Amino acid sequence: MNMDVPAIELVALTKCFRNAKKPAVDSVNLSVAQGEVLAIVGGSGSGKTTTLKMINRLIEPTSGSVRVMGEDVTNRDPVILRRSIGYAFQGVGLFPHMTVGQNVGVTLRLLSQSGECVSKRVDELLTMVELPADEYRDRLPAELSGGQQQRVGFARALASKPRAILMDEPFGALDPITRDGLQQEFRSLQKKLQLSVVLVTHDMSEAVLLSDRVAVMHEGEVAQVGSPRELLTNPVNDYVAQLIDTPRRHSDFIESLMRMAPGEGTQ
Amino acid sequence: MTPKLQLLFEQLPDLLGGHLTLAVPAIFIGVLISVPLGILCVKSATVRGPVMSLVSLVQTIPSIALLAIMVALLGGTIGYWPAFIALLVYSILPIIRNTIVGLESVDPAMREAAKAVGMRPLQQLLLVELPLALPVILAGIRTATVWVVGIATLSTPVGAPSLGNYIFSGLQLRDWQRVIFGCIATMTLSLVLDQLIAVIEKSIQSRRRVSLVLATCALASLVGIGLAPGLVTPDSAGFANLLGQREGAEEANDLVESTMTLDGQVIRIGAKGFTEQFILAEVLRERIRKVGGTPEVLTNMGSTIVFDALAKNTIDIYIDYTGTLWSTVLKELDPINRISMRAVVAGRLFDEFGIVVVGSLGFENTYALVTKRETVARYGLSQIGDITPAARDLRIGGDPEFFGRPEWQRVRQLYSLGDITEVGMDSTFMYQAVADGQVDVAAGFSTDGRIDAFDLAVLKDPKQAFPPYDAVILLSPEASKNKNLVHAIEPLVNRISVTAMRTANRLVDEGGETPKEAAGQLLPD
Ligand SMILES: Nc1ncnc2c1ncn2[C@@H]1O[C@H](COP(=O)(O)OP(=O)(O)O)[C@@H](O)[C@H]1O
Ligand SMILES: [Mg+2]
């Protein structure tokens, strides 16, 4: 396989929703190299989710194009395309009437793999996301904690051994400790499997921690793309500067708290 | 257990079987039609508008009318099919409505998730949307079940036996035990079916295979009983057949016409829904059994329905009244005298429908003005005309319908009763009302047993203002070709006098005897 071909490439991608004055996504150009994590960061309503959904054709673009492994997605059956790209949902999106095992194996069954293959792979995936298969396979999603549900969501996204994964604020609804643990696991899995990932988040710290490059979106347009370092040293405008500065401000503040004399902060 | 209760239980297998045969397939096929139609409505707005308006409109038709309309739409066919189709129609609305609500209440995020994991539209529907909508759809099926089981009681008047037979005959016979028995049986059946579906729903949710399988089997066996209408009836008919032949054989020696046997042939007897008709149906049943036939009786049939059924050979025989046939079938307005009317009715029924009037039973069940003996003495009454001078001071009780009928207009005009006060009341109470003096005269029926029970006098009608209502035996076009049947029936002609009929009615209405017992006493051969 040609490693020079980007895993995902967006060219002048534009989406105007009906009755909207401004495009939700406006001429976006981005590319994700194979094995790379690209974070899309931006405020609420900046067009992140819309951009992500155009990649696996949950939303059809108004103009522009999407290429996955060099091939224009409009040439592909959207259903087959979706089965080959993992998708981890905002708010998890597990099917409440299916067991954990059925949820994880759903794409595999759609690909009409044999029952035996599916259950073997499901157990393997559950082990990979650190949920002992024997204990969790037959539970319903409602019988799991938020963090465990998110792990199941990952396992489902990884089931068909996709080379590319789309993630929409996957850690958004978790408590900080669970989120931290899961973020670490995600990063190591991503490295191990050499996944190409588009990670949508509104949290700049998360973007800096988990990605190789960050794209900042603002009002439907990409304001700047680059490594966290490039954004820090060379922000193109005040918006980017402010956004990229938040993780550092937070850590500075925490550091100053630490340096205070004992008791000073509480009285 | 009292003998009366025992009798009610004896009828239960047949009537419950009839009820299940109607209700369960109606619900089952209702589901097969409504769920896909509901899905279609959700997916296409152009389908939804017309379908929902039509279904809701049909639902507003009163159920008893819908049953009658089905009989008409099926060209006068009575029995199973019109009742089944009406019930099917009734099951549709709740199921469609809940299918739509259930599917539309599925979280759009679930629909998107289904798409994102790579499901095709049909897979989204089958694997995600329908399972998530299932509880709501099942709730609709449960509503439909309770409706259909209840409404199935109304199929009795269109000739499909059901638990409604208890209720209708109980109302006519003023036998409340019978009515309550029918109600409890119907309610129990509703509850059992409802609970079976609830168990299925719960076991799907909690994924308990065993109870799911058990409940589904129970329901499926009910569906099975329902879908094989032959299963219940022929078996019991076969049993009755055996009985009939044996009894026929025992009696054979005593009967003159013993050479004429019906050889186990099934003869279908129709009857309308009042006491006298129940008794006469038993008289016919006994008669046919005695000559070796296998009688099947359909009671509580609507008045025009039973005639149409005869004309179409759906039933073979029933008793009607010349005055009724004169106005409702032949559409004649002014009555003629008793003998001529019998001749004209017989001739025209044969010419126009091929129906044969075997003969008159020997009594008339006409309208009759009845009054207390004291009133007779006080005003010197013997005939209707004698009321005229006192009309201003008198009150007449009657069915509200009676006062709107042309018969009453004629009586008022011919006997100048314009000044009498009309008091509308249910016919059940009017004899009592006359006896208690709440009204002075009542418009009753000449064969009603309560005339004797309350010791009332019947006023003569010398001007023949009331049309003659001669009870006549009618045979369907097919049945009239059956010589043996005609011969078997002929001995009934002119055998029942008006007082005998009145006594028999009284035995049932006031004496608590069954129509069968009363029939036995009416013709004790
Ligand atoms: N299905 C839709 N129809 C119309 N407008 C939409 C739809 N989805 C998103 N939008 C609009 O597009 C813009 C971008 O939305 P979105 O991509 O969800 O933003 P983000 O994920 O960055 O919060 C918003 O203004 C939103 O209201
Ligand atoms: Mg979003």
Side-chain angles (χ1 to χ4, degrees):
Chain A
M1 193 179 301
N2 186 352
M3 289 301 288
D4 296 340
V5 177
I8 296 168
E9 201 177 9
L10 314 182
V11 182
L13 196 61
T14 302
K15 177 68 188 181
C16 295
F17 284 111
R18 215 181 302 166
N19 305 329
K21 289 186 213 96
K22 243 179 117 290
V25 173
D26 196 356
S27 278
V28 165
N29 295 294
L30 284 172
S31 88
V32 184
Q34 294 177 41
E36 185 190 36
V37 179
L38 173 78
I40 302 182
V41 191
S44 188
S46 58
K48 309 181 294 291
T49 298
T50 307
T51 304
L52 196 70
K53 285 180 180 172
M54 283 191 282
I55 299 174
N56 67 355
R57 296 185 66 182
L58 286 174
I59 293 177
E60 294 295 342
T62 311
S63 66
S65 65
V66 175
R67 281 184 214 132
V68 171
M69 295 307 289
E71 191 187 359
D72 194 323
V73 293
T74 48
N75 296 334
R76 298 191 55 184
D77 176 346
V79 173
I80 305 291
L81 175 75
R82 285 178 208 129
R83 290 176 187 170
S84 70
I85 300 178
Y87 191 102
F89 300 82
Q90 194 169 3
V92 191
L94 296 181
F95 301 118
H97 60 293
M98 295 185 190
T99 61
V100 165
Q102 288 168 333
N103 263 289
V104 173
V106 65
T107 306
L108 299 178
R109 279 198 310 276
L110 294 172
L111 290 165
S112 52
Q113 295 190 2
S114 76
E116 206 179 316
C117 273
V118 173
S119 53
K120 231 180 92 197
R121 174 81 180 137
V122 165
D123 286 3
E124 191 180 305
L125 285 158
L126 286 176
T127 313
M128 193 156 82
V129 296
E130 295 180 352
L131 294 172
D134 287 335
E135 196 183 335
Y136 289 96
R137 189 195 302 117
D138 295 322
R139 288 204 200 175
L140 288 174
E143 296 161 348
L144 301 180
S145 73
Q148 290 169 333
Q149 289 182 15
Q150 194 52 266
R151 284 164 197 266
V152 177
F154 283 146
R156 182 170 72 181
L158 296 173
S160 65
K161 300 192 177 160
R163 308 197 46 92
I165 306 270
L166 310 177
M167 301 173 85
D168 196 347
E169 315 215 14
F171 308 104
L174 302 179
D175 65 272
I177 309 249
T178 312
R179 184 194 305 160
D180 188 51
L182 220 53
Q183 284 172 338
Q184 303 307 325
E185 282 170 37
F186 160 73
R187 194 57 168 155
S188 67
L189 261 180
Q190 183 269 329
K191 289 224 167 81
K192 194 171 98 190
L193 303 174
Q194 275 299 296
L195 297 168
S196 318
V197 179
V198 180
L199 171 71
V200 160
T201 176
H202 59 259
D203 177 354
M204 185 53 103
S205 312
E206 185 170 277
V208 169
L209 279 171
L210 299 183
S211 68
D212 302 305
R213 282 189 309 139
V214 177
V216 177
M217 275 191 84
H218 187 54
E219 293 181 353
E221 294 177 51
V222 174
Q224 190 171 4
V225 199
S227 66
R229 170 180 292 274
E230 280 165 1
L231 297 193
L232 264 172
T233 52
N234 221 346
V236 289
N237 58 28
D238 284 353
Y239 181 74
V240 176
Q242 217 180 344
L243 206 61
I244 191 70
D245 206 32
T246 44
R248 196 170 61 186
R249 277 208 315 278
H250 289 170
S251 69
D252 286 356
F253 178 68
I254 292 167
E255 237 171 87
S256 71
L257 275 179
M258 301 285 284
R259 265 188 258 105
M260 270 187 250
E264 210 175 308
T266 52
Q267 282 172 358
Chain B
M1 203 185 322
T2 67
K4 213 164 150 194
L5 204 55
Q6 199 172 346
L7 187 78
L8 295 180
F9 272 107
E10 270 166 24
Q11 293 174 302
L12 194 58
D14 273 357
L15 296 184
L16 185 63
H19 208 94
L20 278 173
T21 311
L22 279 170
V24 175
I27 297 160
F28 187 70
I29 298 185
V31 172
L32 293 187
I33 293 176
S34 315
V35 172
L37 212 54
I39 293 169
L40 214 62
C41 285
V42 171
K43 304 287 169 193
S44 151
T46 43
V47 173
R48 182 180 185 154
V51 167
M52 284 314 284
S53 336
L54 183 70
V55 171
S56 314
L57 186 76
V58 168
Q59 204 76 28
T60 61
I61 301 174
S63 14
I64 192 97
L66 186 67
L67 281 154
I69 291 169
M70 285 307 157
V71 172
L73 286 182
L74 294 179
T77 309
I78 59 144
Y80 184 78
W81 290 108
F84 170 77
I85 294 173
L87 293 178
L88 178 61
V89 166
Y90 264 100
S91 73
I92 287 176
L93 178 72
I95 306 177
I96 280 203
R97 197 178 47 202
N98 280 42
T99 305
I100 293 176
V101 171
L103 287 175
E104 287 188 339
S105 60
V106 171
D107 185 353
M110 280 297 113
R111 230 172 268 132
E112 182 153 76
K115 215 170 157 186
V117 300
M119 291 189 190
R120 299 201 179 274
L122 186 64
Q123 293 168 329
Q124 286 172 42
L125 181 70
L126 296 179
L127 300 176
V128 175
E129 295 179 53
L130 280 178
L132 290 176
L134 192 66
V136 184
I137 298 176
L138 281 172
I141 296 175
R142 288 171 68 174
T143 307
T145 303
V146 174
W147 283 13
V148 165
V149 170
I151 294 171
T153 55
L154 297 179
S155 41
T156 297
V158 297
S162 73
L163 294 172
N165 282 33
Y166 288 123
I167 299 169
F168 278 89
S169 58
L171 284 173
Q172 285 305 325
L173 301 170
R174 283 176 287 279
D175 178 350
W176 307 122
Q177 194 181 10
R178 188 174 269 269
V179 173
I180 292 167
F181 188 89
C183 289
I184 292 176
T186 311
M187 282 155 56
T188 310
L189 180 61
S190 269
L191 282 176
V192 167
L193 290 178
D194 186 54
Q195 285 310 304
L196 269 178
I197 301 173
V199 168
I200 291 180
E201 181 178 356
K202 288 222 183 67
S203 22
I204 290 175
Q205 271 166 6
S206 58
R207 291 172 299 142
R208 278 199 312 268
R209 288 262 156 67
V210 182
S211 53
L212 176 62
V213 169
L214 284 180
T216 312
C217 284
L219 200 65
S221 58
L222 288 182
V223 172
I225 292 174
L227 283 182
L231 215 77
V232 181
T233 350
D235 212 49
S236 56
F239 186 59
N241 190 358
L242 266 177
L243 277 180
Q245 279 181 336
R246 201 173 50 223
E247 284 174 26
E250 278 167 13
E251 307 271 333
N253 302 337
D254 312 333
L255 284 169
V256 187
E257 67 272 282
S258 60
T259 45
M260 248 85 82
T261 170
L262 286 172
D263 243 347
Q265 279 176 56
V266 173
I267 304 295
R268 291 168 67 91
I269 302 162
K272 307 186 195 188
F274 52 92
T275 306
E276 181 170 303
Q277 286 274 320
F278 300 158
I279 298 172
L280 294 175
E282 292 303 326
V283 167
L284 292 175
R285 190 210 294 272
E286 195 48 33
R287 197 65 220 140
I288 284 158
R289 190 179 279 168
K290 277 201 171 143
V291 292
T294 303
E296 273 179 16
V297 178
L298 282 173
T299 54
N300 289 300
M301 297 172 77
S303 180
T304 54
I305 286 170
V306 66
F307 181 86
D308 291 344
L310 189 79
K312 299 196 89 65
N313 298 306
T314 314
I315 58 170
D316 300 304
I317 184 168
Y318 85 103
I319 309 278
D320 211 330
Y321 306 91
T322 49
T324 311
L325 295 165
W326 183 257
S327 61
T328 58
V329 177
L330 303 178
K331 313 277 183 226
E332 292 290 345
L333 294 175
D334 292 323
I336 53 177
N337 78 57
R338 182 174 174 181
I339 309 294
S340 322
M341 185 180 283
R342 204 158 63 200
V344 173
V345 165
R348 286 191 49 196
L349 286 187
F350 184 74
D351 289 347
E352 294 171 27
F353 300 95
I355 288 173
V356 168
V357 177
V358 179
S360 162
L361 281 174
F363 70 90
E364 267 193 275
N365 181 4
T366 179
Y367 287 105
L369 298 193
V370 297
T371 181
K372 259 199 302 192
R373 304 239 173 247
E374 287 164 34
T375 317
V376 169
R378 174 141 49 106
Y379 294 94
L381 304 180
S382 74
Q383 53 123 317
I384 302 176
D386 298 335
I387 307 179
T388 314
R392 190 179 292 277
D393 305 324
L394 298 180
R395 288 153 303 164
I396 178 168
D399 201 309
E401 186 211 310
F402 170 77
F403 294 122
R405 289 183 68 98
E407 284 91 337
W408 173 237
Q409 306 312 327
R410 266 174 62 85
V411 171
R412 259 173 32 143
Q413 197 193 337
L414 288 175
Y415 293 103
S416 320
L417 296 179
D419 290 335
I420 202 164
T421 309
E422 296 169 1
V423 183
M425 58 180 66
D426 190 274
S427 57
T428 312
F429 306 119
M430 66 194 174
Y431 300 96
Q432 179 86 53
V434 168
D436 293 351
Q438 293 173 44
V439 291
D440 305 292
V441 183
F445 297 97
S446 60
T447 57
D448 199 300
R450 284 164 296 190
I451 293 176
D452 289 347
F454 290 108
D455 191 28
L456 303 176
V458 177
L459 298 176
K460 290 201 187 74
D461 175 19
K463 296 188 180 170
Q464 294 186 341
F466 286 123
Y469 283 88
D470 234 332
V472 287
I473 308 166
L474 306 183
L475 284 179
S476 73
E478 286 297 326
S480 64
K481 292 180 196 140
N482 184 341
K483 289 264 162 15
N484 291 348
L485 177 61
V486 177
H487 284 302
I489 294 305
E490 269 171 350
L492 292 176
V493 172
N494 281 324
R495 283 292 301 277
I496 302 175
S497 70
V498 70
T499 44
M501 193 67 240
R502 210 183 280 167
T503 308
N505 283 336
R506 186 180 168 188
L507 284 176
V508 175
D509 283 339
E510 304 292 327
E513 296 198 21
T514 63
K516 191 179 161 128
E517 288 161 348
Q521 298 189 26
L522 189 58
L523 283 182
D525 52 23

